[in-house]
Amino acid sequence: MAAEIVFSGGERVRVPSNNPDEVMARMATEGSRDHQAMGGVRVRPGFIDIESDRGIIYIRPDQVAYVCEAPGPS
Protein backbone atom coordinates (compact mmCIF):
# COMPACT_ATOMS: atom_id res chain seq x y z
CA MET A 1 0.00 0.00 0.00
CA ALA A 2 1.36 3.42 -0.97
CA ALA A 3 0.78 6.69 0.83
CA GLU A 4 -0.04 10.12 -0.48
CA ILE A 5 1.02 13.28 1.34
CA VAL A 6 -1.33 16.21 0.86
CA PHE A 7 0.15 19.59 1.77
CA SER A 8 -1.85 22.46 3.20
CA GLY A 9 -1.44 24.28 -0.15
CA GLY A 10 -3.12 21.37 -1.98
CA GLU A 11 -0.04 19.81 -3.60
CA ARG A 12 0.04 16.01 -3.50
CA VAL A 13 3.07 13.71 -3.43
CA ARG A 14 2.88 9.94 -3.79
CA VAL A 15 5.08 7.88 -1.44
CA PRO A 16 5.10 4.41 -3.04
CA SER A 17 7.30 2.62 -0.50
CA ASN A 18 5.43 3.56 2.69
CA ASN A 19 1.94 3.21 4.05
CA PRO A 20 0.21 6.24 5.63
CA ASP A 21 0.90 5.08 9.21
CA GLU A 22 4.65 4.79 8.52
CA VAL A 23 4.76 8.28 6.99
CA MET A 24 2.90 9.75 9.98
CA ALA A 25 5.24 7.99 12.42
CA ARG A 26 8.31 9.37 10.62
CA MET A 27 6.87 12.89 10.65
CA ALA A 28 6.20 12.63 14.39
CA THR A 29 9.66 11.32 15.33
CA GLU A 30 12.17 12.60 12.78
CA GLY A 31 10.58 16.00 12.19
CA SER A 32 11.45 17.09 15.71
CA ARG A 33 15.17 16.27 15.67
CA ASP A 34 18.33 16.78 13.66
CA HIS A 35 19.15 13.58 11.77
CA GLN A 36 21.19 12.12 8.95
CA ALA A 37 19.23 11.62 5.75
CA MET A 38 19.74 9.30 2.82
CA GLY A 39 23.12 9.77 1.17
CA GLY A 40 24.68 11.29 4.30
CA VAL A 41 22.97 14.68 3.94
CA ARG A 42 22.35 16.47 7.23
CA VAL A 43 18.68 17.44 7.58
CA ARG A 44 17.78 20.48 9.67
CA PRO A 45 15.38 19.99 12.57
CA GLY A 46 11.84 20.41 11.33
CA PHE A 47 12.46 18.67 7.99
CA ILE A 48 12.38 15.02 7.01
CA ASP A 49 13.50 13.25 3.85
CA ILE A 50 10.95 11.11 2.05
CA GLU A 51 11.44 8.84 -0.96
CA SER A 52 8.63 9.91 -3.30
CA ASP A 53 7.61 9.28 -6.88
CA ARG A 54 9.63 12.44 -7.66
CA GLY A 55 12.78 11.19 -5.96
CA ILE A 56 13.92 12.19 -2.49
CA ILE A 57 12.13 15.27 -1.21
CA TYR A 58 12.54 17.19 2.04
CA ILE A 59 9.34 18.21 3.77
CA ARG A 60 8.27 20.08 6.88
CA PRO A 61 5.58 18.06 8.66
CA ASP A 62 3.84 21.23 9.85
CA GLN A 63 3.04 22.01 6.18
CA VAL A 64 1.27 18.67 5.68
CA ALA A 65 -2.52 18.78 5.81
CA TYR A 66 -2.91 14.99 5.94
CA VAL A 67 -1.52 11.64 4.81
CA CYS A 68 -3.80 9.06 3.24
CA GLU A 69 -3.70 5.85 1.25
CA ALA A 70 -2.70 6.65 -2.33
CA PRO A 71 -5.29 5.94 -4.98
CA GLY A 72 -4.58 3.01 -7.28
CA PRO A 73 -3.26 3.44 -10.80
CA SER A 74 -5.61 5.28 -13.11
Side-chain angles (χ1 to χ4, degrees):
M1 167 185 3
E4 184 174 59
I5 298 172
V6 181
F7 293 92
S8 52
E11 183 175 0
R12 295 172 176 266
V13 176
R14 188 176 174 93
V15 184
S17 62
N18 292 98
N19 69 45
D21 292 334
E22 291 169 340
V23 174
M24 291 295 291
R26 282 199 62 207
M27 287 194 306
T29 58
E30 294 180 19
S32 61
R33 61 183 167 87
D34 188 28
H35 69 280
Q36 191 107 6
M38 298 174 211
V41 174
R42 203 91 180 118
V43 179
R44 286 183 19 206
F47 285 84
I48 64 170
D49 57 311
I50 294 280
E51 180 87 35
S52 76
D53 59 348
R54 301 177 189 179
I56 297 172
I57 60 171
Y58 298 88
I59 66 168
R60 286 184 46 161
D62 62 350
Q63 294 178 335
V64 173
Y66 61 92
V67 178
C68 61
E69 186 175 329
S74 45

